[in-house]
Amino acid sequence: MARMKFLCDADRCIECNACVTACKNEHEVPWGINRRRVVTINDGLPGERSVSMACMHCTDAPCAAVCPVDCFYTTEDAVVLHSKDTCIGCGYCFYACPFGAPQYPRVGNFGTRGKMDKCTYCAGGPEADMTEAEYVKYGSNRLAEGKLPLCAEMCSTKSLLAGDGDIIADIYRERVVTRGYGSGAWGWRSAYGETVSV
């Protein structure tokens, strides 16, 4: 089975936010929630880099390790998903995630912030595939349709890649060899505990 992964090539991202818009529109994400966001480092300075950030669907997900009600689970494709029916809104996952992926619809104390929301890798949730209940809670299930996440498909510079981790690593490796350098496969080591060797 394929191990699905994201990779953002910081040397290609132009901060257009097409990935953010595509995600919000495809899943009808509620106001105040951003499953994906673009962060610019050293804005306006030499060496400026923009990175598209969301849940990286980690190999050993820290959010799942700290969840007191075990609402997280990993699919056969290694996509880390959660059950909104089980979530109690404690916020532990938010503090554990190195990517800031878990989002809450309201600001408040323990249990008052609402059910956690995060990137689903366009894989829906625990409800039956392609049902109205799944769409209302988690958004579109593009993986069940045989498609990749829309954020990566909409990326005009192909900075954001999604798919089988081996194929993604090969694409990035080829880019680094072609251009003669690499700024690093952003988030790859933190999320998957490995590097993309060239």
Side-chain angles (χ1 to χ4, degrees), residues 21 59 100:
T21 304
T59 301

Side-chain angles (χ1 to χ4, degrees), residues 106-123:
R106 295 186 298 276
V107 176
N109 295 329
F110 186 92
T112 63
R113 62 183 88 218
K115 304 289 184 176
M116 187 272 287
D117 192 76
K118 72 172 198 72
C119 165
T120 63
Y121 205 91
C122 289

Side-chain angles (χ1 to χ4, degrees), residues 127-136 139:
E127 279 78 10
D129 287 347
M130 312 302 289
T131 61
E132 182 66 23
E134 180 187 50
Y135 183 79
V136 168

Side-chain angles (χ1 to χ4, degrees), residues 169-197:
D170 288 343
I171 292 169
Y172 183 72
R173 190 175 298 111
E174 185 177 312
R175 287 180 182 180
V176 170
V177 168
T178 300
R179 65 183 172 221
Y181 69 93
S183 63
W186 188 88
W188 192 274
R189 180 178 292 203
S190 299
Y192 311 122
E194 58 188 51
T195 60
V196 179
S197 57

